[in-house]
Amino acid sequence: MERRKKTSRVCHGELMGVKTTITLKELNRLFPSYGFTKLTPTVSGIIDTTYIVFADTKGYILKKYERDIQHKIALDIELLDDLKSAGLNVPLCLDNNDGWYIYEKLEGKHPTSVKSYHIQALARFMAKMHKETSKIKCTTNMLVEYEVTQALKYVKENFFGYYKRFEFLKNFTHNHDAIIHGDIFKDNTIFNGKKIGVIDFIDSSCGTFAYDVAVALVGFDARERNDYFINLFLKNYNQHAPKKLSKALVKEKMRFAANFFALRRVNEYKNTKRARELLK
């Protein structure tokens, strides 16, 4: 088999979603039963490799995790199985070989302009998800102090004005309710009409429901709609969630979530352009 090459390509100023390349011929050697006919690299994502692959007209997601997280991958696959069994629209892992994983490709597309029905569907999904994950033992923490400390160190040395804004994050404590997704931005959701699907659970871990909700509301532009989206979300979420959330708590967590992800973006992209999207 040909040696796969590491890449660091750039597309329109953003890192490609492919770090390790694979050819269609190599892919079919790894997974001969599928008969793949098309291989399309993605153009988003900065950590792991992601392709969209097709066998005739049927699509799949092909991933290679560019981190040493084998135990976490196994937990992720198990979590997806549990959520799927509970009726949630998430992608199952179908196969794996030589570090490559094939997932279901959910039907639909990422939302662009957020509407009320997006917020309602998101709230109902998260309430049901939290109800299910509250039954599962939680053993991994998402917000590792080391990650925040290292990111703050980089920003302090290179973007001191932003460091003063982010400095309060070092004192944040992240309690545990259950397993949360922790990264439900628009590009991790798929809408087929008004039906929502959620993808990319690989970094899910222990956390609070309020923080998970806060991240999703930041990711779905709730701050730009004053309190309308927050009120609408909580009205739908609190009807079915294992724990009711107050508006005051969610807004407090939204401030943390926006700054935490902005800090990560400065650290990962080595500039402040993407961070400013979250800090406006």
Side-chain angles (χ1 to χ4, degrees), residues 233-273:
F233 182 99
L234 290 176
K235 179 181 178 181
N236 285 269
Y237 177 88
N238 283 337
Q239 291 178 6
H240 306 287
K243 176 190 291 187
K244 292 192 177 188
L245 301 178
S246 72
K247 182 177 176 181
L249 176 61
V250 168
K251 293 187 78 168
E252 174 192 335
K253 300 295 185 184
M254 286 175 68
R255 174 175 174 263
F256 171 80
N259 280 272
F260 175 72
F261 277 90
L263 171 65
R264 288 184 63 181
R265 287 183 177 185
V266 173
N267 188 55
E268 292 165 351
Y269 288 100
K270 310 306 179 187
N271 61 57
T272 60
K273 181 179 178 181

Side-chain angles (χ1 to χ4, degrees), residues 144-170 259-260 262-264 266-268 270:
V144 181
E145 291 181 6
Y146 178 79
E147 178 186 359
V148 175
T149 300
Q150 292 302 109
L152 283 173
K153 180 180 177 182
Y154 172 81
V155 173
K156 184 177 183 179
E157 294 172 352
N158 295 276
F159 302 96
F160 189 73
Y162 279 83
Y163 170 77
K164 296 302 293 182
R165 177 162 188 166
F166 296 140
E167 189 177 13
F168 81 98
L169 295 174
K170 66 185 180 183
N259 280 272
F260 175 72
L263 171 65
R264 288 184 63 181
V266 173
N267 188 55
E268 292 165 351
K270 310 306 179 187

Side-chain angles (χ1 to χ4, degrees), residues 15-251:
L15 292 172
M16 297 285 286
V18 171
K19 309 298 179 293
T20 302
T21 59
I22 187 171
T23 67
L24 187 61
K25 185 176 181 180
E26 290 172 334
L27 178 62
N28 278 309
R29 285 176 183 169
L30 288 176
F31 303 100
S33 64
Y34 290 82
F36 291 117
T37 56
K38 185 178 180 181
L39 178 68
T40 304
T42 61
V43 295
S44 63
I46 60 175
I47 299 177
D48 300 313
T49 289
T50 306
Y51 284 91
I52 302 173
V53 298
F54 293 89
D56 293 325
T57 59
K58 185 172 178 57
Y60 302 86
I61 300 298
L62 175 70
K63 293 189 74 76
K64 182 176 181 63
Y65 296 102
E66 305 289 351
R67 300 166 278 172
D68 185 15
I69 53 171
Q70 292 306 309
H71 178 63
K72 184 66 180 70
I73 295 170
L75 292 175
D76 175 60
I77 292 171
E78 184 178 347
L79 175 62
L80 291 173
D81 286 343
D82 290 340
L83 296 179
K84 193 81 164 187
S85 296
L88 288 161
N89 189 24
V90 298
L92 291 178
C93 181
L94 303 175
D95 212 339
N96 73 88
N97 190 8
D98 195 27
W100 293 89
Y101 293 80
I102 295 176
Y103 289 86
E104 291 179 318
K105 182 178 181 296
L106 302 185
E107 295 296 323
K109 58 184 180 180
H110 303 305
T112 51
S113 177
V114 180
K115 308 296 184 184
S116 295
Y117 72 84
H118 291 124
I119 298 296
Q120 292 171 308
L122 177 66
R124 290 191 291 268
F125 181 98
M126 294 189 73
K128 190 170 184 179
M129 178 183 72
H130 290 162
K131 189 173 182 179
E132 291 303 314
T133 60
S134 64
K135 305 172 186 176
I136 303 171
K137 184 178 180 180
C138 190
T139 58
T140 58
N141 189 16
M142 178 182 60
L143 293 179
V144 181
E145 291 181 6
Y146 178 79
E147 178 186 359
V148 175
T149 300
Q150 292 302 109
L152 283 173
K153 180 180 177 182
Y154 172 81
V155 173
K156 184 177 183 179
E157 294 172 352
N158 295 276
F159 302 96
F160 189 73
Y162 279 83
Y163 170 77
K164 296 302 293 182
R165 177 162 188 166
F166 296 140
E167 189 177 13
F168 81 98
L169 295 174
K170 66 185 180 183
N171 299 318
F172 182 82
T173 56
H174 200 57
N175 299 320
H176 297 170
D177 285 328
I179 295 175
I180 64 170
H181 186 290
D183 193 21
I184 303 183
F185 280 68
K186 290 190 293 257
D187 59 0
N188 277 335
T189 63
I190 305 290
F191 278 84
N192 188 9
K194 294 185 178 182
K195 180 182 179 182
I196 185 176
V198 175
I199 62 175
D200 202 4
F201 281 77
I202 192 61
D203 290 317
S204 62
S205 58
C206 300
T208 64
F209 298 144
Y211 175 75
D212 210 15
V213 165
V215 171
L217 287 170
V218 169
F220 272 71
D221 309 324
R223 293 170 302 160
E224 299 173 17
R225 298 296 185 94
N226 297 316
D227 287 345
Y228 172 70
F229 277 174
I230 300 174
N231 292 335
L232 182 62
F233 182 99
L234 290 176
K235 179 181 178 181
N236 285 269
Y237 177 88
N238 283 337
Q239 291 178 6
H240 306 287
K243 176 190 291 187
K244 292 192 177 188
L245 301 178
S246 72
K247 182 177 176 181
L249 176 61
V250 168
K251 293 187 78 168

